Amino acid sequence: MVPTNTYIDVAVALPVGNTFCYGVPQSFTSLISVGKRVLVPFGQRRVTGFILGTSNAATDKNIKLILDVLDDSPLFPAAMVPFFQWIADYYKHPIGDVIKTALPGGLTIYDVASIAIADKGHQALRQGSVTPVEKQILECLISGPCRQKDLSKTLDQPIPAALIQSLDRRGRITKTRLLSGGKTKVRTQRHVALVETDLSDAGLSPARQQIIEILKAQREASLKELKTHVPSAPAVIRSLEDEGYVKIISKRVYRDPLGEPIRPDVVPRLTVEQQHVVASVCQHLNNGFTTFLLQGVTGSGKTEVYMQVAADAISKGHSVLVLVPEIALITQMERRFRARFGERIAVLHSGLSAGERFDQWSRILNKEADIAIGARSAIFAPFENIGIIIVDEEHDTSYKQETHLRYNARDLAVVRAMLNNCVALLGSATPSIQSYYNVCQQKFLELTLKERIEKRPLPEIDVVDLRQNRDARGIRRFITSELHLAMKETLARGEQILLFLNRRGFASFPICAACGQAIRCKHCDISLTLHQKANAYKCHYCGFSRASSSHCTVCGSTRIKNLGLGTEKVESALNQLFPEARVARMDRDTTMRKGSILTLLKGIKNKTIDILVGTQMVAKGHDFPNITLVGIICADLSLSFPDFRAGERTFQLLAQVAGRAGRGDVPGRVILQTFNPEHFSILAAKHQDFKTFYTQEIEFRKALNYPPLSRMIQLKISGKDQTKTEAHARVLGKTCHDLRSQNITMYRPVEIMGPIEASLPRIARFYRWQILLKSLHTKALHDFTGRLLADHSAGFGRRDVKVIVDVDPYFMM
């Protein structure tokens, strides 16, 4: 064994719950620091690990040594380790996987087993002494080595590990382990510098003279820049380097996702309300942990408050983290912050390439950017000295990650502020019930902006009862006479219109006219949606599609009636109703291409779009000064969801989309069409009255002990075999009840609901069940779940049935 006197605590980038102690050979001791990656042996594999700190000198002689140190400098500061540990503990997720999720993609290195045919395998094929499956495997390997899972894909059948081991044992194949991954690298650029600054131009060729003059003026220039002046620069520079006149240096360059420079803005004069809010927040900077909830009506200038508070934090030597819910809003926020703060801004979101994200991450680590703006993953920005964390539109469900590590970035913002002893500022026109409950419990401090900038009035909201329109046909069923007239008047004045419908596609409920069966997804228990432009029926859950000319799978009839509506049908109807108007659509179908969202937003700003039709994407914080009419086609779609948060989501969505109207000099108007005009969520949205909505909603939550009064953890069980999935769900349910009954004193506060089939029983070929754990006591709930995971880990790690632990679940479907 290599001598060592240093032991380190390492989190491996695998789904394992613990950290591990490794020894450090003396040759690596000087390279060790928290936040660096190391390559470590783990079982029969080599994997990436993250250094979390030193470990107590171990007496176990079998402790393994690290194989390599993979970084010159740390990828995250030591101050972030407690944050990662908190996340791993609270969300019941392996800490190595937490760190892997936080870091830019493409950094993890791991090894994979590669299988190749051996001489004995060739011999066995020639002799015919192989089984049919062995023959398929060996013939496949003749074309070259491959990974075992790739072998299964190529042969389109599962290959048992025991069979591979048998072939290996008999010498018919060879197995080797190769390092893979780590594709994200630093980008470098070649620069040229003069070795002798007193070099004479006499006798030099024109190309040499020009290059040397540029280098004398700039001392150093990139090869790319020199080529723009002298096309033959690469050959000329090689000869100059050979003669010792210049030297070529490799320098790191950042991939820039920010685009063209932005003209600096002028700091506006704050309203009295804004001044009070800014002063209140700035007073708490440098004074420890505080969380503020800023409730500001739409158009009240919350973004300006964020920028003024950020400026104060930076002036005190702190960094600033700004979260927004959608990538579409990052561009708007980033442009405003860059106009104020210049190039000290970094952006972090999933729309960046792996290289761009790595470079933005590096700029923060290298202290070249002290403001980071991004979507939920930006909560992991590697700042050391945070002064304030700002969460815009804090109510938005996009802050909840629904795959892999299921964290809520808004909640993590408060936790990170607590761990960094700084300020968290959550802002919204329609706060979440959770956050306002924390205000009522005096955990958060409340700030308000009750008036719009320049005292612009809130839009007038008219409610139209769609029940009175049931006998209408065609377009008139969803474009009522009131909305049609208002649109004509608005277009005649040269103003813009926003129509909102939270359902994309052309027809959301196609059925067979012959047998009455819905046209359903092949892999999910859900009907398909017709997308007319794509000429296909599509599933919005798994992506399955079939041609629009398809026949009924039940009776074979081709007579399909396309019922229901979506944004595509509304767009088509508007082109018929207003042939002179320029209509655009903003939903997931039209914004998939990079830059498409920006193009639409520019169209609204430059008034090349008269009517914008959109889903909830249009409701989130956009500033459209010339939109004076907002039409809500059907306000009830989200009310019908089997979810206790349905009323909250409906109120927030309607109030937010109504707030897009009248943000300029002309007063706005909203026409809200609904089948439930008496529902308290609709009435509260009509009056833009959050407090009244909260008062009624919190009583409903109290009656059933729903969050925010309690906490929930959802166990999501899924598998491709319906019988096995149900059986495993029932076994896991019994395990939960047994654990509670065996420790009734400790776990009495924990309520177990289920197992029960999910509201959508099958998605993407997976049958789905769930168990809901609920308690008024957070510690008891988390202790119960931790005990369940520790004592019954076999129930969570099966290959055929997957169990996911979702702490504080948002979507109960």
Side-chain angles (χ1 to χ4, degrees):
M1 180 177 285
V2 179
T4 178
N5 54 14
T6 302
Y7 296 92
I8 55 174
D9 192 27
V10 174
V12 295
L14 290 173
V16 290
N18 302 319
T19 58
F20 299 89
C21 179
Y22 283 90
V24 181
Q26 289 181 357
S27 57
F28 287 146
T29 302
S30 63
L31 303 177
I32 296 298
S33 61
V34 174
K36 285 187 177 183
R37 293 173 301 152
V38 285
L39 190 66
V40 296
F42 194 81
Q44 301 299 312
R45 307 169 61 182
R46 293 170 291 172
V47 298
T48 300
F50 308 102
I51 303 175
L52 301 184
T54 56
S55 183
N56 292 330
T59 56
D60 187 348
K61 295 181 180 179
N62 295 319
I63 284 182
K64 297 178 180 178
L65 302 180
I66 66 170
L67 304 173
D68 198 3
V69 179
L70 301 176
D71 299 304
D72 295 328
S73 57
L75 290 177
F76 56 86
M80 289 188 71
V81 171
F83 183 49
F84 293 142
Q85 290 169 332
W86 189 97
I87 294 170
D89 179 62
Y90 186 81
Y91 288 105
K92 308 303 176 190
H93 201 85
I95 186 167
D97 223 20
V98 168
I99 299 172
K100 181 182 171 184
T101 300
L103 294 176
L107 294 175
T108 304
I109 294 173
Y110 50 91
D111 69 356
V112 294
S114 178
I115 306 167
I117 188 170
D119 290 340
K120 286 186 178 180
H122 286 291
Q123 185 180 344
L125 279 176
R126 287 194 297 269
Q127 293 173 350
S129 57
V130 289
T131 66
V133 177
E134 289 176 343
K135 183 180 179 183
Q136 283 182 288
I137 293 171
L138 294 173
E139 286 179 342
C140 182
L141 293 176
I142 288 174
S143 59
C146 72
R147 296 187 299 176
Q148 184 174 336
K149 70 176 183 179
D150 292 338
L151 191 64
S152 299
K153 287 180 184 177
T154 303
L155 298 178
D156 196 26
Q157 62 177 309
I159 305 298
L163 179 56
I164 297 296
Q165 289 169 3
S166 173
L167 288 168
D168 184 31
R169 198 165 48 247
R170 287 178 284 159
R172 294 180 175 181
I173 63 169
T174 58
K175 290 174 69 175
T176 55
R177 302 198 74 89
L178 305 173
L179 286 177
S180 182
K183 295 178 180 177
T184 304
K185 306 287 185 184
V186 169
R187 176 178 283 184
T188 58
Q189 191 177 70
R190 288 188 295 169
H191 281 240
V192 183
L194 275 177
V195 174
E196 295 184 27
T197 54
D198 297 333
L199 190 64
S200 171
D201 295 346
L204 296 177
S205 67
R208 285 186 163 206
Q209 285 182 20
Q210 190 173 358
I211 286 173
I212 287 170
E213 286 302 317
I214 293 171
L215 295 178
K216 281 182 176 180
Q218 299 180 202
R219 301 184 65 84
E220 179 184 301
S222 70
L223 183 57
K224 183 179 179 181
E225 179 190 349
L226 291 173
K227 278 178 69 177
T228 61
H229 298 286
V230 183
S232 60
V236 175
I237 286 165
R238 272 196 302 272
S239 65
L240 287 171
E241 185 186 30
D242 291 341
E243 295 169 25
Y245 295 127
V246 301
K247 61 180 177 180
I248 298 177
I249 312 161
S250 187
K251 283 196 164 187
R252 179 174 186 175
V253 292
Y254 291 126
R255 287 153 279 217
D256 183 13
L258 297 179
E260 73 278 358
I262 293 175
R263 184 180 302 170
D265 71 348
V266 176
V267 180
R269 184 183 181 87
L270 296 179
T271 65
V272 173
E273 280 188 327
Q274 285 176 315
Q275 289 175 22
H276 171 72
V277 169
V278 170
S280 298
V281 177
C282 291
Q283 184 181 353
H284 284 77
L285 293 175
N286 281 345
N287 286 328
F289 167 60
T290 311
T291 301
F292 290 97
L293 176 64
L294 171 59
Q295 185 196 350
V297 298
T298 54
S300 59
K302 292 186 289 295
T303 304
E304 184 58 40
V305 167
Y306 301 154
M307 290 196 290
Q308 298 244 1
V309 169
D312 191 68
I314 289 170
S315 71
K316 293 173 179 174
H318 297 298
S319 50
V320 176
L321 180 53
V322 183
L323 302 185
V324 293
E326 295 273 7
I327 294 175
L329 292 174
I330 292 174
T331 302
Q332 179 175 294
M333 188 72 77
E334 167 243 306
R335 290 178 70 87
R336 291 194 63 177
F337 267 76
R338 282 177 68 203
R340 183 71 53 87
F341 299 103
E343 299 308 310
R344 65 199 310 166
I345 310 295
V347 293
L348 291 170
H349 57 81
S350 60
L352 304 179
S353 69
E356 287 172 337
R357 186 174 170 81
F358 179 52
D359 284 351
Q360 293 295 298
W361 184 275
S362 300
R363 289 182 64 229
I364 296 170
L365 272 174
N366 296 335
K367 298 181 171 53
E368 296 171 33
D370 47 19
I371 300 175
I373 300 172
R376 59 177 174 255
S377 61
I379 189 60
F380 301 114
F383 286 123
E384 289 187 73
N385 183 29
I386 301 177
I388 186 167
I389 303 175
I390 297 166
V391 184
D392 190 31
E393 308 292 355
E394 66 84 26
H395 68 278
D396 201 288
T397 56
S398 297
Y399 284 120
K400 172 69 172 175
Q401 171 72 25
E402 286 299 320
T403 57
H404 201 51
L405 171 59
R406 288 168 160 77
Y407 64 92
N408 188 312
R410 178 203 62 204
D411 297 344
L412 288 189
V414 177
V415 171
R416 192 166 184 191
M418 177 186 67
L419 294 174
N420 283 265
N421 209 30
C422 69
V423 172
L425 173 60
L426 317 181
S428 175
T430 54
S432 62
I433 297 294
Q434 177 80 46
S435 294
Y436 198 74
Y437 179 76
N438 283 330
V439 168
C440 296
Q441 297 298 304
Q442 298 183 337
K443 293 180 180 178
F444 294 177
L445 300 179
E446 183 181 15
L447 298 169
T448 57
L449 293 172
K450 297 179 180 179
E451 293 185 350
R452 283 184 158 186
I453 296 295
E454 298 177 4
K455 299 194 180 296
R456 293 169 184 148
L458 286 168
E460 171 193 346
I461 301 179
D462 298 323
V463 175
V464 175
D465 188 349
L466 285 175
R467 293 174 299 187
Q468 309 300 321
N469 215 45
R470 278 179 173 156
D471 295 332
R473 290 287 175 267
I475 295 171
R476 297 298 183 186
R477 289 202 68 181
F478 52 91
I479 303 289
T480 61
S481 56
E482 293 92 337
L483 179 56
H484 184 232
L485 178 61
M487 291 177 72
K488 284 177 65 177
E489 293 172 347
T490 303
L491 291 172
R493 295 193 299 268
E495 296 161 6
Q496 292 171 308
I497 300 167
L498 172 63
L499 291 188
F500 169 74
L501 177 66
N502 204 23
R503 182 173 286 161
R504 61 192 173 99
F506 188 85
S508 57
F509 190 60
I511 64 168
C512 175
C515 69
Q517 288 292 320
I519 308 302
R520 304 182 76 83
C521 176
K522 181 180 177 181
H523 309 306
C524 308
D525 288 331
I526 195 77
S527 61
L528 297 173
T529 299
L530 174 64
H531 288 249
Q532 196 173 63
K533 192 170 183 180
N535 208 25
Y537 292 107
K538 294 184 178 182
C539 176
H540 290 174
Y541 284 89
C542 75
F544 170 77
S545 67
R546 52 187 293 193
S548 60
S549 57
S550 301
H551 55 74
C552 175
T553 55
V554 177
C555 71
S557 172
T558 57
R559 294 191 298 128
I560 308 298
K561 295 185 71 174
N562 294 308
L563 306 179
L565 74 154
T567 49
E568 196 177 11
K569 182 180 279 189
V570 173
E571 179 189 27
S572 176
L574 293 175
N575 285 323
Q576 296 175 42
L577 280 174
F578 304 103
E580 302 300 319
R582 295 162 296 181
V583 182
R585 178 162 49 95
M586 187 176 182
D587 56 26
R588 194 180 300 174
D589 295 333
T590 62
T591 56
M592 290 176 70
R593 291 175 56 188
K594 192 171 183 178
S596 55
I597 292 176
L598 195 57
T599 301
L600 281 168
L601 296 179
K602 283 182 177 178
I604 290 289
K605 182 181 178 182
N606 299 333
K607 300 183 183 179
T608 57
I609 294 173
D610 299 314
I611 306 174
L612 179 66
V613 183
T615 56
Q616 62 179 349
M617 296 177 74
V618 303
K620 299 185 177 184
H622 296 294
D623 191 17
F624 304 133
N626 200 48
I627 287 181
T628 57
L629 175 66
V630 167
I632 299 171
I633 302 296
C634 183
D636 314 301
L637 295 181
S638 55
L639 273 178
S640 58
F641 286 175
D643 188 334
F644 72 89
R645 290 191 179 94
E648 179 181 5
R649 290 199 187 108
T650 299
F651 167 75
Q652 289 167 343
L653 203 51
L654 298 181
Q656 288 285 338
V657 76
R660 300 314 107 201
R663 296 170 74 97
D665 297 329
V666 180
R669 184 185 179 193
V670 178
I671 294 182
L672 190 159
Q673 300 180 160
T674 174
F675 289 103
N676 296 280
E678 296 87 14
H679 195 283
F680 78 95
S681 297
I682 304 291
L683 291 172
K686 169 181 166 61
H687 298 294
Q688 301 274 295
D689 189 349
F690 170 76
K691 297 288 177 66
T692 298
F693 170 77
Y694 175 83
T695 301
Q696 289 190 252
E697 180 69 12
I698 201 68
E699 290 304 315
F700 155 68
R701 304 279 181 96
K702 284 178 181 176
L704 296 172
N705 277 339
Y706 278 140
L709 289 94
S710 66
R711 291 294 175 95
M712 286 183 173
I713 293 178
Q714 187 180 26
L715 306 181
K716 299 180 176 181
I717 305 119
S718 61
K720 290 188 176 181
D721 186 296
Q722 186 174 12
T723 304
K724 287 182 179 179
T725 304
E726 179 180 351
H728 190 69
R730 296 198 183 282
V731 169
L732 186 59
K734 184 178 184 304
T735 302
C736 290
H737 285 284
D738 289 347
L739 177 61
R740 184 176 183 273
S741 61
Q742 291 162 12
N743 301 269
I744 192 66
T745 304
M746 186 183 303
Y747 298 139
R748 188 187 303 275
V750 179
E751 184 180 350
I752 302 167
M753 294 179 282
I756 190 173
E757 205 170 26
S759 300
L760 290 173
R762 189 172 64 118
I763 290 180
R765 298 183 181 177
F766 281 85
Y767 294 92
R768 307 165 66 244
W769 284 67
Q770 60 187 28
I771 298 170
L772 203 59
L773 309 176
K774 184 173 72 168
S775 181
L776 296 172
H777 300 274
T778 304
K779 186 177 187 307
L781 180 65
H782 280 255
D783 285 350
F784 178 87
T785 308
R787 180 81 175 271
L788 188 68
L789 286 164
D791 293 355
H792 305 279
S793 58
F796 291 83
R798 287 178 51 169
R799 287 179 177 269
D800 53 346
V801 181
K802 183 165 59 174
V803 181
I804 291 169
V805 179
D806 190 357
V807 179
D808 301 333
Y810 254 56
F811 298 100
M812 316 296 287
M813 300 284 282

